Amino acid sequence: MKNKLEQLKDEILKRLNEIKDSSALRDLEVKYLGRKGELTNILRSLADLSIEEKKVVGRISNEIKQELMLRFNEVKAIIEGKESDKGFIDVTLPATKIKNGHLNPITLLQNELEDLFTSMGFMILDGPELESDFYCFEALNIPKTHPARDMQDTFYIDKRNKNGELDMVMRTHTSPVQVRAMQKYGAPFRGIVPGRAFRCEATDAVHEHTFVQMEGLMVGENISITNLIAVMKELLNGVFGKEMEVRVRPGYFPFVEPGFELDIRCTICGGPGCPSCKHSGWLEILPAGMVHPKVLEYGGIDSKKYTGFAFGLGLTRLAMMKYGIGDIRNFNGGDLRFLEQF
Ligand code: PHE
């Protein structure tokens, strides 16, 4: 009798391990543990045994029954768990939160300006970040020996041309795309070029080796300084949503004649001076000017017939002004607490 019970137990346990779904489990339960089940039958037949035998076999069979019930419940829980994964969704559970990233403030500003300039008929262009000496300097009227080269601390790439010269640079400004654009599209032309520029700078609150500029170029017949100023005003009013206090100074850039520097009142300190405005109360954000005839010629455009203006907006600096960011190093610092504010 005892052996019979043990055998039955092993058989049931083995079958239990093969069960895959809850209806098979139910069938198995009925077959062995149900009212007419095999184990129940054996337990019933205990009645025919002697009192001594009943005591021993009765205890063993109860133990076996307990053990089997436990195992049944375990298997049941596992199967139900699996089935609920497949088909059942508890819609009352709180949803898993999706963590959204944030756009960098420079990207936000760039998107805004792209909208503003496309509405004025400008196209949006791109250009290589690793640029030739020719487009970065030469074609912008900055010949090899010209002292103006010292205005921009350049990262030269360690690769020499046939003449043994270093002639590839990380572009120091977005201006090389002026000549590329003129060569490709001719005149009349209107376009902006948002993109990164690189300089071998010592880093402080307002200087970084990598920053973002947005070049603007408009070439056509009778384009004058009036057009330049109108577009600049449109730009600044669009960005700040109000009339900005500005000043215009003469500025020297070999690729424009005449050249200007357009400054805005420092929005960090409002005027008295702070590290962001080098204690001057003003921020240089918009160097600009009328395109130098030599540059037009490099672009394949007849400088007798056409004129144009160009500007080189410091997008990084403008983002600092617009959002009141005091330190340029925040942009690429990777601190999420900074980015999550935008
Ligand atoms: N490329 C110049 C700079 O980065 C800025 C500039 C652009 C000036 C266009 C005039 C016209 O310093």
Side-chain angles (χ1 to χ4, degrees):
M1 184 68 139
K2 200 177 144 196
N3 281 348
K4 221 172 153 189
L5 279 167
E6 290 289 347
Q7 250 176 29
L8 189 63
K9 183 180 102 174
D10 290 346
E11 187 185 324
I12 298 175
L13 287 176
K14 194 169 148 243
R15 290 220 172 174
L16 260 177
N17 286 339
E18 289 157 8
I19 291 290
K20 297 247 154 31
D21 59 55
S22 45
S23 77
L25 183 71
R26 223 171 298 121
D27 291 348
L28 197 72
E29 196 168 5
V30 172
K31 183 166 161 38
Y32 292 105
L33 303 180
R35 263 193 317 129
K36 290 180 184 158
E38 288 183 28
L39 186 68
T40 322
N41 280 342
I42 293 177
L43 292 178
R44 263 197 212 116
S45 66
L46 284 178
D48 307 333
L49 299 176
S50 69
I51 302 209
E52 280 310 305
E53 273 177 323
K54 260 187 207 163
K55 262 193 192 161
V56 182
V57 180
R59 185 173 45 79
I60 296 172
S61 42
N62 269 328
E63 275 169 17
I64 290 179
K65 193 171 177 183
Q66 291 290 326
E67 190 182 334
L68 286 173
M69 301 272 271
L70 250 155
R71 185 67 193 134
F72 260 94
N73 285 337
E74 271 170 27
V75 174
K76 198 169 166 187
I78 292 170
I79 288 176
E80 279 175 358
K82 272 197 196 135
E83 285 177 355
S84 76
D85 278 354
K86 265 187 235 149
F88 176 73
I89 298 169
D90 185 352
V91 291
T92 62
L93 284 175
T96 335
K97 283 215 174 84
I98 297 171
K99 241 188 148 195
N100 278 332
H102 294 251
L103 288 178
N104 189 290
I106 296 177
T107 313
L108 289 172
L109 189 57
Q110 182 180 325
N111 291 347
E112 241 177 71
L113 286 171
E114 286 182 1
D115 285 349
L116 189 107
F117 275 96
T118 32
S119 80
M120 293 193 281
F122 283 64
M123 57 164 101
I124 301 164
L125 297 179
D126 214 348
E129 291 181 342
L130 178 58
E131 185 56 281
S132 65
D133 184 285
F134 174 78
Y135 282 110
C136 199
F137 299 122
E138 205 86 17
L140 291 171
N141 197 27
I142 317 175
K144 289 235 156 17
T145 51
H146 198 286
R149 289 224 176 184
D150 295 344
M151 287 163 69
Q152 303 186 347
D153 300 305
T154 312
F155 288 117
Y156 281 91
I157 299 302
D158 189 13
K159 184 173 165 285
R160 291 180 190 272
N161 63 13
K162 299 193 280 306
N163 306 328
E165 298 154 342
L166 296 168
D167 70 344
M168 293 300 279
V169 301
M170 295 306 289
R171 67 175 178 197
T172 52
H173 47 185
T174 42
S175 303
V177 191
Q178 284 187 30
V179 179
R180 287 180 177 276
M182 289 189 276
Q183 287 178 340
K184 187 162 179 191
Y185 298 103
F189 172 84
R190 295 174 200 194
I192 53 165
V193 189
R196 294 196 298 175
F198 311 86
R199 289 190 200 172
C200 184
E201 303 257 24
T203 314
D204 63 24
V206 284
H207 294 96
E208 258 281 31
H209 48 72
T210 303
F211 51 96
V212 185
Q213 288 192 333
M214 197 180 81
E215 197 77 9
L217 176 68
M218 183 167 178
V219 179
E221 283 179 70
N222 301 321
I223 299 291
S224 69
I225 295 177
T226 322
N227 300 107
L228 166 65
I229 290 174
V231 171
M232 300 260 187
K233 273 198 173 155
E234 202 64 33
L235 190 173
L236 289 171
N237 295 346
V239 170
F240 291 97
K242 60 174 183 194
E243 251 345 267
M244 291 302 290
E245 196 184 342
V246 295
R247 71 175 186 187
V248 179
R249 292 177 289 128
Y252 174 66
F253 304 95
F255 36 95
V256 286
E257 182 58 40
F260 313 106
E261 285 280 6
L262 194 133
D263 303 341
I264 58 167
R265 243 314 162 217
C266 178
T267 53
I268 305 280
C269 65
C274 67
S276 300
C277 59
K278 290 186 204 144
H279 304 281
S280 71
W282 294 95
L283 255 136
E284 250 179 64
I285 51 164
L286 251 170
M290 300 306 292
V291 181
H292 195 290
K294 270 198 179 163
V295 178
L296 289 171
E297 299 291 341
Y298 270 116
I301 286 175
D302 181 356
S303 63
K304 302 247 165 24
K305 185 168 175 206
Y306 294 103
T307 49
F309 69 78
F311 61 86
L313 177 68
L315 213 54
T316 302
R317 195 161 289 184
L318 188 60
M320 292 173 77
M321 293 297 97
K322 180 172 161 118
Y323 298 110
I325 298 162
D327 196 317
I328 196 171
R329 290 163 288 200
N330 281 320
F331 290 109
N332 295 329
D335 188 339
L336 287 181
R337 290 171 305 172
F338 169 72
L339 289 175
E340 278 166 2
Q341 297 172 70
F342 299 96

